[in-house]
Amino acid sequence: MLQTLILLAYEFFFTGLFAVGGGLATIPFLQSMGARRPAWFSAAQLADMIAAAQCAPGPLGTNMATYVGYTVGGFPGAALSPLSLMIPTIVVDLFAARLMERFRDSARWERVMRVLRPASAGLICAAALALLQISLASGTAWNWNAPLAWFDWRCVALYGALLPFVAWKKLRKIHPAVYIAVGAVVGVVWGL
């Protein structure tokens, strides 16, 4: 058990140190973590974890760290994982705040920020692609001769039905809880 807790602390400390861009940026790290440690969680469990973390109040990355920590290490893991995720962020933020205050008008600081912005955007785009793959895949291996078999048509239909509501400006005023409820009801009815 102690070895598992040490591994949890290491994995989430590393994730917190390099996941620049917020909670969504932790998803590629979690995918990699699941691939390295398959006993912890599968890709399907990662999808469930993301859905549960999005529905729960609080930051996405912290919610997912708590979820993984609890499933792998029980209550000690649930306490240690989010703490390990937050510690490097807090230290880096305190250090960066002092640097920003000191070098606010520096051209070098602006260059550093110009590098961090695309890195953050890249991690978030990787997370978006990972979420699309997790949510629309049928669970079968990719086959170039039958690429449509890789997709679950019910998930694609639900995605296609809800996308216009999210994309249209006038319909963006609908509370996100409505979309979550509709997705949950359709998921239960269709057996997703």
Side-chain angles (χ1 to χ4, degrees):
M1 179 67 164
L2 181 61
Q3 183 180 4
T4 301
L5 292 175
I6 291 170
L7 283 173
L8 275 170
Y10 167 76
E11 289 286 355
F12 282 103
F13 184 86
F14 181 81
T15 300
L17 190 59
F18 293 105
V20 179
L24 285 177
T26 62
I27 294 173
F29 289 95
L30 285 169
Q31 277 187 308
S32 175
M33 189 185 305
R36 282 192 316 275
R37 306 191 190 293
W40 284 10
F41 56 87
S42 66
Q45 289 170 319
L46 176 61
D48 295 341
M49 179 190 339
I50 293 167
Q54 287 282 24
C55 293
L60 179 68
T62 308
N63 288 346
M64 290 190 296
T66 305
Y67 188 100
V68 171
Y70 181 75
T71 58
V72 173
F75 285 112
L80 183 64
S81 295
L83 186 63
S84 299
L85 181 76
M86 289 185 286
I87 286 173
T89 304
I90 291 168
V91 171
V92 168
D93 282 353
L94 290 173
F95 182 69
R98 294 195 97 182
L99 282 176
M100 285 178 72
E101 189 176 309
R102 188 171 176 193
F103 298 109
R104 184 177 315 161
D105 299 326
S106 168
R108 285 184 182 168
W109 183 254
E110 181 57 36
R111 279 183 254 152
V112 167
M113 294 309 290
R114 269 190 262 159
V115 169
L116 286 178
R117 287 182 203 122
S120 175
L123 283 171
I124 292 171
C125 286
L129 289 173
L131 283 173
L132 204 60
Q133 178 185 7
I134 289 168
S135 62
L136 299 181
S138 64
T140 61
W142 179 264
N143 181 354
W144 285 103
N145 296 327
L148 293 179
W150 187 73
F151 294 101
D152 185 344
W153 69 269
R154 300 169 303 173
C155 294
V156 173
L158 179 61
Y159 176 79
L162 291 177
L163 184 63
F165 291 101
V166 177
W168 288 337
K169 234 179 190 174
K170 291 180 183 179
L171 295 175
R172 283 187 197 163
K173 295 176 184 175
I174 297 174
H175 197 276
V178 173
Y179 296 117
I180 292 170
V182 168
V185 168
V186 171
V188 168
V189 169
W190 275 0
L192 294 174

